[in-house]
Amino acid sequence: MRTIQMREALREAITEEMRRDENVFLIGEEVAEYNGAYKVSQGMLDEFGPRRVIDTPIAELGFAGIAVGAAMNGLRPVCEFMTFNFSLVAIDQVINASAKILSMSGGQFGNPIVFRGPTGSAGQLGAQHSQSFANWYANTPGLKVIEISNPYDAKGLLKSAIRDNNPVIFMESEQMYGDKGEVPEEGYLIPIGVADIKRAGTDVTIVSFGKIMKVALAAAEALAQENNIQVEVIDLRTVRPIDYKTVIESVKKTNRLVVVEEAWPLASISREISYEVQRQAFDYLDAPVRCITTRDVPLGYAPTFVEEFLPNTKRVTEAVKAVVYV
Amino acid sequence: MGKDKSTYPKETYLKWYEDMLLMRRFEEKAAQLYGQQKIKGFCHLYIGQEAVVAGTMSALNADDRLITAYRDHAHAIACGIPAKEVMAELYGKATGCSKGKGGSMHMFSKEHNFFGGHGIVGGQIPLGAGIAFADQYRGGKQVTVCYMGDGAVRQGALHETFNMAMLWKLPVIFVCENNGYAMGTSVERTTNMTDIYKIGLGYDMPSKAVDGMKCETVHEAIAEAAERARTGNGPTFLEIRTYRYRGHSMSDPAKYRSKEEVEDYKTNKDPLEQCKAVIAKNKWMNEADFETLENKIEAHVAEAVEFAENSPWPTPDELYKDVYVEEDYPFIMD
């Protein structure tokens, strides 16, 4: 199978859906003439023209709201945030409008829209460019929330998100746009709300999603090599709705769970998973669930701070060893 | 500009008057029902401002779109939503125009191109531009009228939207219904630039102030703006100067303004009385006719109340519908 970059996989998804449906369009900062801040939309202006690939001023609240209004009136916008840190400026339109239009109107006005862009840390970018908001958005009924970890999932899930008739938050990472992965030439869809077992194992379950899946997989590999601990690694892929079934089935098999997430700990997805696991699989657990999240502080600039802040292989392997009592 | 009153035909005046009378009697009844706790939650009355929406509707086509904030009962009725469905929504009944999910602030009707009442001040402004964007994208000829209060013009959403609406020449008319008070704060206390229409000039948007106590002046301004939008020349900003007789919401005794100020509007500038005077002067209706109309409207409102009273509450399972398009979304239940 051919290998392409994450940005190419995302571009193919949007491009294919725009060819398929005239109502799909891309709107955001630098998406057209600049070819995308991270080159996701490279060449799309040439193919579709300025009517469907639309540069905006730096006005997230305004252009997100215009996209939401357009979706109320029959279009299917793909609304790009240069980073989800900037989406906070637009969050009124996402939470108060997009997520609620269908319900408030008694089902009359829908909101088929995708808000997409990178989330999380991406090196030494300082406190305002290093935040994760998947759990914030996942808290809101009316939204679906996806965070991808590789090019194959990215393409299949983004196509599903664009075809979905509900508002979908689709989260990427600046540090993954250059990642390469196998993506078939022919089109395919991946259903929203279905987790994927990225590595099968018998001793411990690790649940994760997004960029930090790399840490989870690296830790699993190290534990297999060095400690002969076979870790099952589940990529949630969607964090609203969460595929609890896959998680619970795995925990019933391994009896141990570590959740790895790039987000602040309080009210995080990992602590949410922990509740559900004790609720549904209490008698199967042989150790307390452990959550490895970012540190509970704003991320500072220095490299030492980045190292301290993020979940890493060492912290994950230690947590796994703790739940297997070695 | 400055069409003479008599240039509007009899039918237009009769429609304006009947529509405004329905809005007013409907809301007077709603206020009464709120006192009886038949209607709950927040309830913002439009009484005094009727000429703004009546004068708008006569200047639009049936497929044009409306969107507004939470003071939305009259807009819903003006768009053609049956009064009984608006009343049922105020009650929170399953037969309401938003199936009891919206209430006073969130009336909607896709059938009548009413894109809703919205509860976050200024939040509907980019939505209105987006609705117009979709029509422009498809090459449609529809115009969107996006209403807001004088409080909303201080929100950043307005400024971002005005900029893009002008840049893209969106077919939208932004209407600020300036009733002088953002809840209890007068325009003068929120800005040093009290001519609200001038905000549009900062974006080179055609903008002007309009007397909102008369249907004629509103109609004329909307018609001109709609023509501009329909011919591809982009948005207009109208500051329509009006007045609300009641408080901001049902819980507001409106102590921030004088009785004399309110009385002056009621006595000298009332939109219904001004419209009625033209009709009477032209002898299009006599006293008996006006009384007949009053009775007809009274019966109409009574019928709406009866419909709301006799309608069922939505069943609890409805709460889980319309959150997502699909009906099998796995909500977390415990």
Side-chain angles (χ1 to χ4, degrees):
Chain A
M1 200 186 294
R2 69 175 178 153
T3 299
I4 61 172
Q5 287 185 354
M6 175 77 88
R7 58 168 59 84
E8 295 171 300
L10 294 165
R11 184 188 312 142
E12 284 187 1
I14 306 168
T15 300
E16 287 172 17
E17 293 307 302
M18 284 178 66
R19 286 175 189 152
R20 178 179 174 268
D21 184 348
E22 174 74 15
N23 288 327
V24 179
F25 67 98
L26 178 64
I27 184 169
E29 293 155 1
E30 309 288 7
V31 298
E33 299 210 355
Y34 193 85
N35 282 303
Y38 299 103
K39 307 302 169 206
V40 168
S41 54
Q42 190 152 35
M44 289 181 62
L45 176 64
D46 291 341
E47 176 170 355
F48 297 105
R51 173 172 163 266
R52 298 182 69 196
V53 182
I54 302 162
D55 278 329
T56 67
I58 300 170
E60 286 85 2
L61 174 61
F63 75 70
I66 287 172
V68 172
M72 284 179 79
N73 194 8
L75 300 187
R76 307 182 74 88
V78 177
C79 178
E80 177 173 315
F81 293 124
M82 199 180 291
T83 144
F84 266 95
N85 293 287
F86 303 163
S87 79
L88 297 199
V89 179
I91 204 165
D92 170 57
Q93 290 297 332
V94 180
I95 306 292
N96 279 319
S98 187
K100 293 179 176 62
I101 291 292
L102 187 71
S103 173
M104 286 199 305
S105 68
Q108 295 177 84
F109 290 97
N111 219 243
I113 184 170
V114 176
F115 299 101
R116 52 158 287 273
T119 188
S121 70
Q124 292 174 253
L125 298 182
Q128 293 179 327
H129 283 71
S130 303
Q131 306 167 99
S132 303
F133 298 110
N135 57 325
W136 288 35
Y137 288 108
N139 183 248
T140 302
L143 301 178
K144 295 182 181 179
V145 182
I146 294 166
E147 189 169 331
I148 42 90
S149 68
N150 65 82
Y152 178 83
D153 289 352
K155 183 173 178 183
L157 278 163
L158 184 51
K159 283 169 71 80
S160 292
I162 294 169
R163 291 188 197 186
D164 200 278
N165 288 322
N166 304 285
V168 180
I169 306 285
F170 190 94
M171 294 179 155
E172 305 155 12
S173 165
E174 291 98 329
Q175 290 182 323
M176 288 199 299
Y177 287 125
D179 285 4
K180 290 183 172 173
E182 288 190 339
V183 176
E185 302 268 358
E186 61 275 14
Y188 60 96
L189 298 170
I190 295 174
I192 296 170
V194 179
D196 185 41
I197 299 171
K198 288 284 194 285
R199 179 190 177 105
T202 50
D203 301 333
V204 183
T205 301
I206 292 180
V207 170
S208 188
F209 59 94
K211 178 187 72 195
I212 214 72
M213 270 294 297
K214 290 182 189 181
V215 171
L217 288 166
E221 183 59 29
L223 286 158
Q225 296 291 331
E226 293 160 26
N227 305 88
N228 198 27
I229 298 171
Q230 302 307 318
V231 180
E232 180 145 295
V233 183
I234 296 174
D235 183 353
L236 286 179
R237 303 195 290 194
T238 303
V239 294
R240 185 178 185 98
I242 290 174
D243 181 358
Y244 292 112
K245 186 165 168 281
T246 298
V247 175
I248 299 296
E249 277 174 6
S250 178
V251 170
K252 284 183 176 176
K253 182 175 71 178
T254 65
N255 311 111
R256 293 168 168 88
L257 176 64
V258 174
V259 193
V260 182
E261 179 182 10
E262 185 184 343
W264 293 308
L266 202 151
S268 57
I269 298 293
S270 42
R271 292 185 176 219
E272 158 63 26
I273 298 268
S274 305
Y275 169 82
E276 203 61 31
V277 166
Q278 66 79 33
R279 175 78 177 75
Q280 293 192 44
F282 185 76
D283 290 338
Y284 293 86
L285 286 172
D286 287 345
V289 177
R290 291 287 303 274
C291 296
I292 303 300
T293 61
T294 67
R295 299 303 187 188
D296 197 17
V297 291
L299 176 51
Y301 169 74
T304 45
F305 292 154
V306 177
E307 176 61 26
E308 170 63 18
F309 179 80
L310 289 172
N312 54 36
T313 312
K314 181 168 176 285
R315 284 172 62 197
V316 175
T317 51
E318 281 172 5
V320 169
K321 287 178 192 171
V323 299
V324 292
Y325 303 111
V326 296
Chain B
M1 61 177 288
K3 258 188 194 173
D4 188 76
K5 280 177 188 174
S6 59
T7 61
Y8 291 96
K10 173 185 169 186
E11 295 69 32
T12 304
Y13 276 96
L14 297 191
K15 176 139 177 59
W16 280 337
Y17 187 67
E18 181 167 347
D19 287 355
M20 290 196 293
L21 196 62
L22 176 60
M23 293 171 206
R24 182 160 299 185
R25 296 292 176 257
F26 179 95
E27 287 210 308
E28 286 168 350
K29 191 68 190 175
Q32 207 179 23
L33 292 163
Y34 194 89
Q36 296 169 20
Q37 298 196 17
K38 295 281 189 183
I39 299 169
K40 302 284 190 73
F42 295 130
C43 185
H44 309 84
L45 300 181
Y46 195 65
I47 294 172
Q49 302 183 206
E50 294 92 343
V52 182
V53 74
T56 299
M57 295 314 292
S58 58
L60 295 179
N61 297 337
D63 62 346
D64 289 333
R65 290 80 158 73
L66 252 68
I67 182 168
T68 188
Y70 43 79
R71 197 180 303 284
D72 64 344
H73 314 154
H75 299 73
I77 291 171
C79 282
I81 306 177
K84 62 181 185 180
E85 292 179 20
V86 179
M87 188 62 83
E89 190 59 38
L90 287 171
Y91 269 66
K93 295 295 183 77
T95 53
C97 58
S98 304
K99 300 203 292 200
K101 296 180 180 186
S104 167
M105 297 192 286
H106 308 302
M107 304 287 172
F108 284 86
S109 174
K110 192 165 193 176
E111 181 191 350
H112 297 96
N113 294 309
F114 184 52
F115 284 70
H118 296 263
I120 309 297
V121 173
Q124 79 282 10
I125 300 171
L127 297 179
I131 293 160
F133 175 98
D135 287 325
Q136 183 192 61
Y137 184 94
R138 285 187 294 257
K141 282 291 170 196
Q142 298 91 342
V143 168
T144 299
V145 183
C146 177
Y147 294 89
M148 68 204 78
D150 47 272
V153 304
R154 310 300 165 195
Q155 288 274 28
L158 175 131
H159 296 268
E160 296 187 18
T161 304
F162 274 22
N163 183 49
M164 282 178 274
M166 274 305 288
L167 180 67
W168 299 331
K169 297 290 181 286
L170 299 179
V172 56
I173 305 168
F174 298 106
V175 172
C176 172
E177 298 194 60
N178 178 6
N179 63 23
Y181 298 88
M183 197 168 154
T185 305
S186 67
V187 170
E188 292 74 21
R189 293 205 296 125
T190 60
T191 181
N192 71 327
M193 205 267 283
T194 54
D195 284 329
I196 288 173
Y197 74 92
K198 289 180 183 168
I199 291 172
L201 302 178
Y203 300 92
D204 282 346
M205 191 184 295
S207 304
K208 66 179 177 186
V210 178
D211 177 359
M213 302 308 279
K214 290 178 184 168
C215 294
E216 298 94 323
T217 46
V218 175
H219 177 106
E220 187 184 324
I222 295 285
E224 182 190 354
E227 174 67 13
R228 180 177 295 125
R230 251 186 265 285
T231 50
N233 293 305
T236 302
F237 182 41
L238 301 174
E239 177 200 350
I240 302 192
R241 291 175 176 166
T242 182
Y243 201 80
R244 67 168 149 77
Y245 297 173
R246 304 298 180 99
H248 164 73
S249 68
M250 292 304 297
S251 60
D252 171 22
K255 287 180 177 168
Y256 41 81
R257 60 189 188 185
S258 69
K259 271 187 181 170
E260 291 73 26
E261 181 180 296
V262 182
E263 281 312 310
D264 177 46
Y265 274 94
K266 285 186 179 174
T267 312
N268 303 315
K269 298 165 188 164
D270 183 70
L272 276 74
E273 289 304 319
Q274 294 201 66
C275 187
K276 189 177 179 180
V278 176
I279 294 169
K281 189 180 150 203
N282 285 285
K283 298 190 169 48
W284 292 327
M285 286 172 74
N286 61 29
E287 274 312 307
D289 296 330
F290 283 118
E291 199 181 320
T292 305
L293 182 63
E294 276 285 354
N295 293 336
K296 178 182 153 187
I297 296 293
E298 195 182 321
H300 192 161
V301 172
E303 184 196 336
V305 174
E306 196 187 338
F307 176 79
E309 283 282 347
N310 294 332
S311 289
W313 298 109
T315 51
D317 65 301
E318 261 299 317
L319 185 62
Y320 305 95
K321 295 177 183 167
D322 306 324
V323 180
Y324 294 91
V325 171
E326 61 271 24
E327 294 221 338
D328 60 348
Y329 181 87
F331 294 105
I332 296 172
M333 297 304 283
D334 76 345

